[in-house]
Structure formats: C-alpha cells, structure tokens
C-alpha cells in the first residue's frame, strides 16, 4: 500500500541569474532649510549679543581705568608716607645728635682743663684722647662733619656772629675765631657755628651805632 501522507516534492524550475546592481553613490547630506523667521530671530540674537559684548567691554575698561587710578593714588600715598617717615626719623636723629654734641662740648672743655695740668699721666691722657676720637668716629658714621670756620668767608646759613674783630689786615666778613664748633649732617646744618668775623676799623663806629 502507498502512504498518501507522504509529501510529494515537485521539481522547481531553474531561476534566471540576476544582473549585478551598480553601486549607488553616497548622497550628500542636505543642508537644513532655514525659514525666514528663524533667520531674523538668529540675526536679532546675534545683534543683541554684540551689544551686550560691547557694553561689557566698556564696563571692563571703565573698571580697569578706575583700578589704575586707584593703584596710582595708593603708590603716591605710599611714597608720601615713606617720605614722612624718613623725615621723622631724620628729625629725631638730628635731635638726639644735637644733645650728643652738647655732651661732646662739655667733654672737650674738661679735656682742655686737664691738659693744662703738667702732672697728668700720659697714659691717662692718651685714653682721654682716644675717647674723644671715638666721639668723632660715631659722628662721622652718622654723616656728621664739622663746619669750616677760621679763615673762611662768613655764611649766614652755617655761621652765627657773636662778635667782630676790627682790623685792616683782613678782608671784611672773614671768620677770625670760632667760639663753638658747628656741624653738618647729610648736607644740612645740624648746629651752626658761633664765630667772630673781621670788620674794617673805619666801620667800627657804624657797627656801634647800629647796636
């Protein structure tokens, strides 16, 4: 007996060979189409950004200029404070040294009296001279020097007249004697010299009448 349930395979017709397809060229992406309204909106945003940028730039320049002026003012203030501090230091220093000079005057007068004693020990005398040399060394280290007097022309900025010496052998206003030594400190008068200056004899009466 033949099984009717078996599948019967029917012969298939041969397929015709397909022609090869030509490769398709890649398509370039198309630029998005911008509507007129969108373009105007973007243009407005761009103009707005430019305006804000210009405004920010102006504000930055104003702030920078203010900062420059502030720094310049601060620098001037700093220089002024430094100048005032230096002036205060110099003034205080001058006051202290002026007191120091008074002590030096007393010491020199005492030393002159001691030198008149013939019985003074030479070793002691050398020690006393060494002390006064140390005085002058300290003064020199602080920029303090003596004012020239005897034989020089009277200078009212550096010398104070205490008397006159009348003679025809010298020109007028020449310092003939120093009563007290004067000192300069850094090209400024720390203490003026007290001096006696020369006057011609024929002017003696005129000076007496003026007194």
């Amino acid at each position: 007996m033949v099984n009717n349930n078996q599948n019967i395979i029917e012969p298939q017709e041969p397929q015709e060979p397909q022609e090869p397809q030509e490769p398709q060229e890649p398509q370039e992406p198309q630029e998005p189409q911008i509507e007129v309204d969108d373009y105007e909106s973007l243009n407005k945003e761009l103009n707005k950004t430019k305006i804000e940028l210009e405004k920010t730039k102006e504000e930055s320049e104003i702030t920078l200029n203010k900062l420059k002026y502030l720094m310049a003012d601060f620098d001037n203030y700093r220089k002024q404070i430094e100048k005032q501090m230096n002036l205060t230091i110099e003034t205080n220093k001058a006051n202290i040294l002026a007191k120091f000079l008074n002590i030096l005057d007393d010491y020199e007068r005492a030393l002159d009296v001691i030198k008149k004693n013939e019985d003074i020990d030479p070793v002691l005398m050398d020690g006393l001279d060494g002390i006064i040399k140390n005085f002058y060394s300290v003064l020199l280290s602080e920029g303090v020097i003596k004012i020239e007097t005897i034989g020089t022309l009277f200078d009212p900025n550096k010398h104070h007249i205490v008397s006159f010496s009348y003679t025809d052998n010298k020109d007028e206003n020449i310092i003939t004697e120093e009563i007290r030594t004067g000192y300069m400190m850094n090209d400024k008068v720390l203490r003026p010299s007290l001096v006696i200056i020369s006057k011609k004899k024929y002017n003696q009466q005129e000076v007496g009448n003026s007194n």
Side-chain angles (χ1 to χ4, degrees):
M1 295 181 66
V2 181
N3 189 357
N4 295 327
N5 295 327
Q6 292 181 350
N7 294 326
I8 299 173
I9 300 174
E10 297 180 355
Q12 297 181 353
E13 295 181 359
Q15 297 180 352
E16 295 181 358
Q18 297 181 353
E19 295 181 359
Q21 296 181 353
E22 295 181 0
Q24 296 181 353
E25 295 181 359
Q27 297 181 353
E28 296 181 358
Q30 297 181 352
E31 296 182 359
Q33 298 294 327
I34 301 177
E35 299 293 337
V36 175
D37 293 341
D38 294 338
Y39 179 79
E40 292 180 354
S41 178
L42 289 173
N43 194 30
K44 289 181 180 179
E45 288 295 329
L46 180 60
N47 291 334
K48 182 180 178 181
T49 303
K50 288 182 178 179
I51 294 173
E52 291 178 352
L53 182 61
E54 288 295 329
K55 183 179 179 181
T56 303
K57 183 180 179 181
E58 291 177 0
E59 292 176 351
S60 299
E61 290 178 351
I62 293 173
T63 303
L64 181 60
N65 290 332
K66 288 182 179 179
L67 181 60
K68 288 180 179 179
Y69 286 126
L70 182 62
M71 291 178 65
D73 289 341
F74 178 77
D75 189 55
N76 292 333
Y77 174 76
R78 177 184 60 79
K79 290 179 180 178
Q80 185 179 1
I81 292 298
E82 288 180 356
K83 184 178 181 180
Q84 290 177 353
M85 289 180 62
N86 291 333
L87 180 60
T88 301
I89 292 172
E90 287 296 318
T91 301
N92 293 337
K93 180 180 175 180
N95 292 335
I96 293 173
L97 288 174
K99 295 178 181 179
F100 185 83
L101 293 178
N102 293 332
I103 298 174
L104 179 59
D105 290 341
D106 293 339
Y107 184 87
E108 287 180 327
R109 283 192 290 268
L111 192 60
D112 289 339
V113 173
I114 293 174
K115 287 181 178 180
K116 294 177 181 179
N117 186 356
E118 297 179 355
D119 297 331
I120 187 70
D121 186 350
V123 176
L124 176 61
M125 195 70 242
D126 289 341
L128 295 176
D129 285 335
I131 292 173
I132 202 167
K133 288 179 181 178
N134 289 335
F135 268 104
Y136 289 125
S137 177
V138 171
L139 290 174
L140 187 61
S141 67
E142 296 297 331
V144 179
I145 59 174
K146 287 184 178 181
I147 297 175
E148 294 185 12
T149 54
I150 297 177
T152 64
L153 184 65
F154 169 72
D155 184 349
N157 296 316
K158 298 179 181 179
H159 312 125
H160 285 180
I161 301 173
V162 296
S163 184
F164 301 96
S165 69
Y166 297 96
T167 177
D168 291 330
N169 297 327
K170 292 180 180 293
D171 294 332
E172 286 198 339
N173 299 326
I174 299 297
I175 297 174
T176 59
E177 188 176 348
E178 181 183 77
I179 304 303
R180 187 189 69 180
T181 304
Y183 294 89
M184 301 281 293
M185 185 179 75
N186 299 328
D187 298 327
K188 293 181 180 180
V189 176
L190 180 61
R191 186 180 77 176
S193 301
L194 301 182
V195 298
I196 296 175
I197 66 171
S198 61
K199 283 288 182 184
K200 296 293 184 181
K201 287 183 178 180
Y202 60 79
N203 286 336
Q204 182 175 1
Q205 185 175 359
E206 294 179 4
V207 173
N209 293 334
S210 63
N211 292 335

